[in-house]
Amino acid sequence: MDTERRQSQRLAILGGKPAFSEPLHVGRPNIGDRVAFFHRVEQILNNKWLTNDGPMVREFESRVCGMLGTKHCVAVCNGTVALDIAIRALGMQGEVILPAFTFIATAHALQWQGIIPVFCDIDPHCHHIDPAQVEELITPDTTGIIGVHLWGCPCAITALSDIAQRNSLKLLFDAAHAFGCSYRQQMIGNYGDAEVVSFHATKVLNSFEGGAILTNNDVLADKIRLMRNFGFAGYDKVVYLGTNGKMSEIAAAMGVTNLDRLMDFVDINRNHHETYRALLEELPGLRILACHNDEKHNYQYVVLEIEQERFGISRDLLLRSLHAENIFARRYFYPGAHLMEPYASLYPGSEARLKNTVQVSERVLVLPTGTQLDTSGVELIGDRIRAIQKYASEIVALRTLQ
Ligand SMILES: *Cc1c(COP(=O)(O)O)cnc(C)c1O
């Protein structure tokens, strides 16, 4: 479709035809070479080794270590269990400080083991935990900090490391968004006491479900390996309280297969990011989050911030208008972990110190990207957003919305 026809097409929310005939979602999986995957599945079945630290899991772990330059990668069944195990292995208890603007699993992993998640506000520019407020929240019960590398951009690693060191706190990073990203030219996976990644289907690299704990600490890595497998240190010998956090061979086969294509996925994401930026960055009231140019990035999240007064319509009405076009953009972490249960009931009143979290969660919108889209699809989404702004007053006036 040429640009003129695209722009003249009536918006779906105003009665036109949807821009896409099939729904487009945020976080559609990137899938590597199918033939290679099926070949690996054959291998697994021939081996009759389906799980329990099998050869495919070991290959996946060593490939990840090679790519990140991290000493240890312990692959597990998902990112949440990776957090659970890392938190327990680090001996966190009492209170742990984390950002309120994160996926709920970061908080659940603490609460699940009876640790109080202390929600900290974020820097409104980068959306990351604000180190200045972290300092204020430290009490005699604080044992650790969890920083989240939201949108794949590293959080304030140096400042948080300094705070953790001065206060003898454990430092864990939830790097679920940041596989393949770097900080000061070193790959994420090498910071804090440990870092946790997710290989969930929606992440840049998926193993269907999966996750890993990354660390350069030998003692910690041994402990984590034992905890992943019920604490078994040998036949008939259990030395820790453990769980079943093992990654299966078939998940690892998917992980290895997708790892072979990771650079292609990232290239596609980067191109989409540039296309979106070219189309959207001049629009008043719209900000598209930038990535640090001299660092490695996976460009997995295309994050907009909509300022209603200047943009012309609210974030939520833009979302509704996009849904009408079959573009299923998403709000993220709305309304913030602190307002979800059980936290809203357990720790009421935390909004007072979470002003930036509240404001950002009301502005953020994440757009579809990845291998599901080609450049013309991204251009079409960009054009629709421009058209929605252009016809904002007509949309706002729609009686059906009242
Ligand atoms: C996806 C995600 C997790 C959880 O990972 P799963 O593999 O889905 O369990 C944790 N934290 C953040 C920030 C995430 O985005």
Side-chain angles (χ1 to χ4, degrees):
M1 217 189 301
D2 60 55
T3 311
E4 257 168 55
R5 263 186 58 207
R6 258 195 331 242
Q7 284 175 347
S8 65
Q9 192 193 314
R10 199 161 169 72
L11 287 166
I13 199 161
L14 297 174
K17 253 181 58 192
F20 292 88
S21 53
E22 296 288 323
L24 266 178
H25 292 279
V26 174
R28 269 287 163 89
N30 296 320
I31 299 172
D33 185 341
R34 285 170 195 230
V35 175
F37 173 69
F38 290 135
H39 178 70
R40 291 191 172 98
V41 174
E42 282 284 338
Q43 252 177 286
I44 293 168
L45 299 180
N46 291 341
N47 270 344
K48 299 192 168 50
W49 191 345
L50 306 184
T51 185
N52 285 13
D53 205 15
M56 206 60 81
V57 164
R58 288 189 181 186
E59 182 183 343
F60 184 53
E61 290 178 342
S62 76
R63 291 270 311 267
V64 169
C65 284
M67 178 189 152
L68 304 182
T70 308
K71 216 163 160 194
H72 304 281
C73 166
V74 185
V76 294
C77 53
N78 61 57
T80 304
V81 165
L83 284 168
D84 289 341
I85 293 176
I87 286 165
R88 193 179 279 271
L90 285 170
M92 288 181 174
Q93 49 188 316
E95 297 176 0
V96 169
I97 300 166
L98 78 164
F101 194 60
T102 181
F103 183 57
I104 199 69
T106 325
H108 280 356
L110 292 166
Q111 186 72 31
W112 192 254
Q113 29 199 325
I115 299 167
I116 297 176
V118 177
F119 295 113
C120 183
D121 208 3
I122 54 169
D123 176 327
H125 187 75
C126 61
H127 301 176
H128 292 137
I129 191 166
D130 172 11
Q133 197 181 76
V134 169
E135 294 246 46
E136 291 167 18
L137 293 173
I138 295 172
T139 74
D141 289 335
T142 308
T143 59
I145 303 167
I146 303 182
V148 181
H149 303 313
L150 211 68
W151 317 131
C153 302
C155 63
I157 291 177
T158 306
L160 293 175
S161 304
D162 178 54
I163 295 169
Q165 201 160 28
R166 277 192 282 108
N167 295 277
S168 305
L169 302 175
K170 298 293 181 191
L171 180 59
L172 176 65
F173 290 109
D174 178 340
H177 288 188
F179 189 76
C181 302
S182 70
Y183 175 71
R184 300 198 174 162
Q185 314 305 321
Q186 179 168 252
M187 297 304 282
I188 293 296
N190 290 283
Y191 292 99
D193 291 298
E195 303 204 61
V196 157
V197 286
S198 165
F199 304 121
H200 183 251
T202 54
K203 306 300 204 272
V204 69
L205 180 88
N206 86 81
S207 61
F208 297 111
E209 290 265 6
I213 302 136
L214 307 163
T215 182
N216 290 320
N217 179 326
D218 300 340
V219 177
L220 185 66
D222 284 347
K223 201 165 166 181
I224 287 168
R225 282 190 185 280
L226 288 168
M227 283 186 172
R228 173 179 71 168
N229 187 29
F230 311 99
F232 272 107
Y235 284 114
D236 311 322
K237 189 177 173 202
V238 173
V239 294
Y240 280 127
L241 172 63
T243 184
N244 181 355
K246 288 168 288 169
M247 175 180 270
S248 71
E249 288 290 278
I250 197 156
M254 186 67 159
V256 172
T257 303
N258 286 335
L259 205 51
D260 284 335
R261 289 285 310 280
L262 181 65
M263 288 308 129
D264 297 333
F265 302 156
V266 169
D267 280 345
I268 290 167
N269 279 348
R270 186 195 298 111
N271 281 331
H272 291 351
H273 227 277
E274 281 164 10
T275 306
Y276 273 129
R277 173 167 301 284
L279 279 163
L280 299 176
E281 81 180 334
E282 312 258 279
L283 297 186
L286 181 150
R287 176 180 167 228
I288 175 163
L289 260 70
C291 310
H292 224 282
N293 266 339
D294 42 6
E295 298 286 356
K296 287 210 172 64
H297 206 279
N298 61 32
Y299 303 90
Q300 177 71 358
Y301 299 89
V302 179
V303 184
L304 306 183
E305 259 188 59
I306 303 298
E307 196 194 317
Q308 180 175 346
E309 302 74 51
R310 287 177 61 226
F311 189 74
I313 65 173
S314 67
R315 183 269 312 262
D316 289 351
L317 199 43
L318 170 61
L319 181 73
R320 222 160 136 177
S321 308
L322 288 170
H323 282 190
E325 305 288 347
N326 262 333
I327 302 163
F328 286 85
R330 282 194 58 184
R331 302 188 290 202
Y332 257 65
F333 315 126
Y334 176 80
H338 63 292
L339 292 179
M340 304 206 174
E341 290 301 341
Y343 314 109
S345 301
L346 286 176
Y347 318 113
S350 51
E351 297 97 286
R353 66 161 192 275
L354 299 173
K355 292 198 172 68
N356 296 332
T357 302
V358 172
Q359 191 181 62
V360 167
S361 71
E362 287 169 355
R363 288 181 171 188
V364 159
L365 194 64
V366 176
L367 299 178
T369 186
T371 49
Q372 64 174 333
L373 274 168
D374 58 15
T375 303
S376 67
V378 174
E379 286 170 352
L380 185 48
I381 297 171
D383 284 340
R384 293 287 86 181
I385 293 172
R386 297 176 71 98
I388 289 164
Q389 180 170 53
K390 189 166 159 195
Y391 293 102
S393 52
E394 257 184 75
I395 296 170
V396 172
L398 277 177
R399 295 194 48 199
T400 49
L401 295 175
Q402 279 147 26

